[in-house]
Amino acid sequence: MATPVHIPKLGLTMTDALLEEWVANEGDVIQPGDVLMRIETDKVNADIEAEGSGVLHQVVAAGTVIEAGTLVGWLVGTAEAAPEVTRAGSSLPGRIAASPFARRLASDANVSLDDVTGTGPGRRIVAADVREAIASSSGDRADIARTHSPLVRRQATTLGVSLSEVQGSGPAGRVVRADLERTLANLGADRDAVSATPQTSNLVPLTGMRGVIAERMVNSLREMAQLTIGADVRADALVAARASLKHAAQLGGPRAPTITDFVVRAVGLSLRVHPRLNATIRDNAIHLIDTINVGIAVALDEGLVVPVISEADQRSIWEISELSRELATKARGSQLTLSELESGTFTVSTLGQFGVDFFTPVISSGQVAILGVGRTREIAAVEHGALVVGQSMTLSLSFDHRAVDGAPAARFLQTVADFLADPLSMA
């Protein structure tokens, strides 16, 4: 009996995925647990294993974006024919692989992706391909001008040249730098102005994880009324407690929690007291969330991921330490699952390891606040009239002013600071 192969739904928010590669070939004999294909979602890459056995018949080609649950192949017996539906695989639901920016640009310009040729990795469609299609299908020079590269548009603005007045010699009539020079020469402009314009030697396409991050950060700032406040927090007791735990670890005790682990614990406890910051806004209403799930931003070479510690308010500092270390290791090895990336209700972002004191973190979509953590540093402080050396750290809280005002946000920040000033209270 034939066994269908579907694109699995790996998480609550997953809607589709790129079938990046068929690891198993057409006609291979498959056993349960064999890796069939590799898929890419907007959050993770995942190898999909076979749940049955049989000969693989592929329905959908690699490089196609498929909705979750879509049939992409069959596992059939050696003497069994694949169902006839596989003969018309092109009629199955699927979408041409394209970056998020390319899809938005095509939608805004009312351009069908079926008419666009992809030039990105694996023939994926990138924003430049959509701009090319827009230029090719438009007879309006003003519309064509809007498809020129950001560099050319910036140069034209700097030099006071209207792109609608420039005859382009690039693909589909696009204006290139040489066209600007020629136009300036014809107008008697100073050619040295063009030569002085900085040139880029390398381009990093906003695709894949970088593209998703860029899109979400822009959407976050556009959709929320974000405000950041900061406070310096005395960290003498925190530094002393961690030093004691590190010494105990050297003597055979458990590995000492990091400063970030203590912050996550403090945030979890503080959100119990200030539930308005553990919320989301939808349908023109503030929805308070009962479960406190704290995400920890982890920097990777290709971007940023935020694995989540669920029920952070109910976990001990040791549990948080073990989980955060495990999630960070999986993140750097691209082994996180969607369930470990979803359902975050608040985020902690740390830049202290890079010598940063204060910054303005951007709130994750679906949340109303994020806490930035700066470095722990020595300071000169006055205590009881005497000058002493103390430890301090700066916390930066960005919050959505639609959900919470400045005073409640400041009270939350003070509660976090109080817990960090007395780490034993979090035991």
Side-chain angles (χ1 to χ4, degrees):
M1 181 176 179
T3 301
V5 178
H6 298 93
I7 291 290
K9 187 174 178 63
L10 300 180
L12 294 176
T13 62
M14 175 183 167
T15 58
D16 55 31
L18 169 68
L19 203 171
E20 182 179 12
E21 175 188 3
W22 279 105
V23 177
N25 298 315
E26 174 77 15
D28 283 356
V29 178
I30 305 298
Q31 299 297 327
D34 288 348
V35 176
L36 292 176
M37 56 187 164
R38 183 168 295 113
I39 66 173
E40 175 188 331
T41 75
D42 62 349
K43 292 183 177 179
V44 296
N45 297 333
D47 290 338
I48 306 303
E49 299 179 351
E51 297 182 357
S53 59
V55 177
L56 175 63
H57 287 264
Q58 300 171 0
V59 172
V60 176
T64 306
V65 174
I66 313 291
E67 292 183 359
T70 297
L71 176 74
V72 295
W74 292 94
L75 297 176
V76 300
T78 53
E80 184 181 6
E84 286 299 322
V85 68
T86 63
R87 311 308 178 196
S90 60
S91 66
L92 292 173
R95 290 192 293 152
I96 296 174
S99 73
F101 282 149
R103 291 191 177 280
R104 171 174 294 179
L105 183 61
S107 176
D108 291 344
N110 197 26
V111 171
S112 172
L113 290 175
D114 293 329
D115 300 327
V116 181
T117 300
T119 61
R123 308 301 293 177
R124 292 185 74 180
I125 295 172
V126 294
D129 302 324
V130 178
R131 294 192 185 99
E132 204 71 50
I134 295 171
S136 300
S137 62
S138 173
D140 186 341
R141 294 294 300 166
D143 286 342
I144 292 176
R146 283 195 292 270
T147 70
H148 302 310
S149 72
L151 175 61
V152 167
R153 293 199 300 271
R154 186 165 58 250
Q155 289 175 333
T157 300
T158 301
L159 299 170
V161 176
S162 172
L163 286 174
S164 63
E165 300 174 355
V166 181
Q167 182 64 42
S169 61
R174 294 179 69 182
V175 174
V176 296
R177 182 172 179 265
D179 300 326
L180 286 177
E181 291 184 351
R182 184 175 59 253
T183 300
L184 284 172
N186 293 337
L187 295 174
D190 186 2
R191 296 174 61 89
D192 291 338
V194 177
S195 301
T197 303
Q199 301 298 306
T200 58
S201 57
N202 295 291
L203 297 178
V204 180
L206 282 174
T207 58
M209 180 183 291
R210 188 72 260 158
V212 171
I213 292 172
E215 182 178 31
R216 288 182 175 173
M217 293 299 97
V218 170
N219 288 342
S220 174
L221 290 171
R222 181 170 54 235
E223 296 169 358
M224 300 186 200
Q226 297 197 26
L227 179 68
T228 302
I229 58 176
D232 287 333
V233 177
R234 287 297 295 269
D236 303 73
L238 179 60
V239 171
R242 186 162 186 269
S244 176
L245 292 172
K246 288 176 68 175
H247 178 69
Q250 294 173 351
L251 299 178
R255 187 176 298 181
T258 66
I259 294 295
T260 302
D261 295 332
F262 279 102
V263 173
V264 170
R265 173 67 171 153
V267 164
L269 295 174
S270 299
L271 288 173
R272 285 185 190 173
V273 184
H274 306 277
R276 183 62 68 89
L277 284 94
N278 195 65
T280 188
I281 294 180
R282 65 175 185 272
D283 302 327
N284 200 33
I286 302 170
H287 298 257
L288 305 186
I289 304 172
D290 294 332
T291 305
I292 296 173
N293 302 327
V294 179
I296 305 175
V298 178
L300 307 177
D301 290 340
E302 62 272 26
L304 192 74
V305 294
V306 186
V308 175
I309 295 181
S310 60
E311 300 181 328
D313 60 317
Q314 300 181 34
R315 297 185 185 276
S316 69
I317 186 63
W318 302 107
E319 290 179 285
I320 291 174
S321 176
E322 182 178 349
L323 273 174
S324 64
R325 189 173 290 109
E326 176 186 340
L327 290 170
T329 300
K330 294 178 70 173
R332 296 185 179 100
S334 299
Q335 297 176 328
L336 288 170
T337 65
L338 277 179
S339 62
E340 292 169 328
L341 289 165
E342 291 188 330
S343 304
T345 60
F346 189 100
T347 300
V348 170
S349 180
T350 303
L351 291 178
Q353 67 270 35
F354 303 109
V356 173
D357 292 331
F358 176 85
F359 59 105
T360 55
V362 178
I363 303 171
S364 298
S365 177
Q367 300 177 16
V368 299
I370 180 173
L371 183 69
V373 183
R375 67 187 174 107
T376 303
R377 63 195 187 278
E378 286 188 340
I379 60 168
V382 177
E383 291 183 359
H384 307 296
L387 188 64
V388 299
V389 176
Q391 297 286 338
S392 179
M393 65 191 303
T394 301
L395 301 180
S396 315
L397 177 69
S398 292
F399 60 95
D400 188 344
H401 217 315
R402 299 175 302 166
V404 62
D405 293 328
R411 285 194 287 269
F412 166 81
L413 195 59
Q414 185 59 58
T415 302
V416 173
D418 290 343
F419 277 119
L420 293 176
D422 184 14
L424 294 179
S425 67
M426 297 187 285

